[in-house]
Amino acid sequence: MGKIAASILSADFMRLGDEIALAEAGGADYIHIDVMDGSFVPRISIGSFVTDCMTGRVSLPLDVHIMAVEPERHIDSFAGADTEYIVVHYEAARHLHRTLSYIRSLGKKNGVALNPSTDPRVLDYVLGDIDQILVMSVNPGFGGQSLIPSSLRKLSELRRMREESGADYLINIDGGVYPHNAAEIFEAGADMVISGSGIFSADDPTAALAEFRAIAKRY
Ligand code: DX5
Ligand code: ZN
């Protein structure tokens, strides 16, 4: 069954607790946390003060997406009890293998995010060391953008690479995912989809989540 992560980047931060409760009640599998440093991507977003505040008060595991230069500097502060995945960008991690090992040494699952222009085969020599590969289907930094079509081909390529290598990473996708394109995204090879605007900017977020759930169930 496909999984769904709700990205709180598009939530109303004046009502963050209620927005998270909505995602929990609506059947999301993960809360996706976008950590932006104002350098790797233009803006600054959510810091560990926010995730610390959530610790023990959210029933869903966190999928932490670090969009920062020198991501290894931020791993410890996001390795709280509720965190399941800590995902760093291939383009920002200078010593990727070491960083992936470090995340696992903390008892967390690791992940590698790939920008739209990055060839998935750059991960060839670390495939067996990765728990999640995150296909960025928009250029990272902003919610509400449109999905870049070549991302679908990357999902299929990652499926093929997984079969050939015998590795067992989760294939995730982030950016421009809505109920109207979720089926073709799962079809192309995603195990999980992340949606911000598709949930929190919908007229009825609960109904949007129900639509996602109904589609995810088929995969
Ligand atoms: C973008 C972030 C995404 C963002 C996706 O850099 O990594 O997680 O929240 O937003 P939507 O679903 O609005 O494209
Ligand atoms: Zn993200």
Side-chain angles (χ1 to χ4, degrees):
M1 183 146 88
K3 296 210 179 315
I4 299 150
S7 170
I8 58 168
L9 191 66
S10 301
D12 175 358
F13 275 60
M14 284 293 278
R15 303 172 38 252
L16 188 55
D18 294 343
E19 297 277 71
I20 290 172
L22 183 151
E24 290 174 319
D29 298 294
Y30 288 86
I31 300 294
H32 181 80
I33 306 287
D34 285 306
V35 179
M36 302 180 180
D37 69 346
S39 181
F40 182 68
V41 291
R43 294 187 303 177
I44 293 171
S45 61
I46 303 165
S48 56
F49 290 105
V50 177
T51 48
D52 285 349
C53 192
M54 290 162 67
T55 302
R57 299 160 80 184
V58 176
S59 61
L60 298 177
L62 306 184
D63 177 45
V64 179
H65 176 196
I66 301 184
M67 285 162 273
V69 295
E70 300 182 67
E72 58 280 357
R73 292 175 47 214
H74 303 287
I75 290 166
D76 286 348
S77 56
F78 287 100
D82 295 340
T83 298
E84 181 167 330
Y85 288 100
I86 299 179
V87 180
V88 299
H89 266 263
Y90 168 79
E91 301 81 8
R94 197 175 296 229
H95 297 289
L96 182 63
H97 182 271
R98 180 186 295 157
T99 300
L100 294 174
S101 307
Y102 183 67
I103 295 169
R104 282 185 174 175
S105 78
L106 299 177
K108 303 299 176 189
K109 295 179 184 163
N110 66 35
V112 184
L114 300 174
N115 276 344
S117 65
T118 302
D119 188 328
R121 286 170 297 186
V122 296
L123 300 178
D124 214 22
Y125 287 88
V126 283
L127 283 182
D129 304 299
I130 303 177
D131 299 310
Q132 177 193 140
I133 298 179
L134 177 57
V135 172
M136 288 309 298
S137 38
V138 297
N139 286 295
F142 302 92
Q145 305 180 77
S146 302
L147 179 136
I148 297 170
S150 62
S151 315
L152 298 183
R153 187 156 61 85
K154 201 180 288 190
L155 293 173
S156 310
E157 173 70 3
L158 284 167
R159 273 273 163 132
R160 197 187 58 73
M161 287 166 60
R162 185 168 66 185
E163 274 157 31
E164 282 180 5
S165 65
D168 70 348
Y169 48 81
L170 178 102
I171 302 173
N172 197 359
I173 181 165
D174 190 9
V177 179
Y178 293 87
H180 72 78
N181 59 11
E184 81 176 309
I185 290 168
F186 281 119
E187 197 68 50
D191 303 307
M192 172 153 149
V193 300
I194 294 163
S195 182
S197 309
I199 296 172
F200 294 108
S201 307
D203 290 338
D204 183 343
T206 303
L209 257 170
E211 272 188 75
F212 272 120
R213 275 258 65 88
I215 297 161
K217 220 189 275 176
R218 310 205 300 257
Y219 294 92

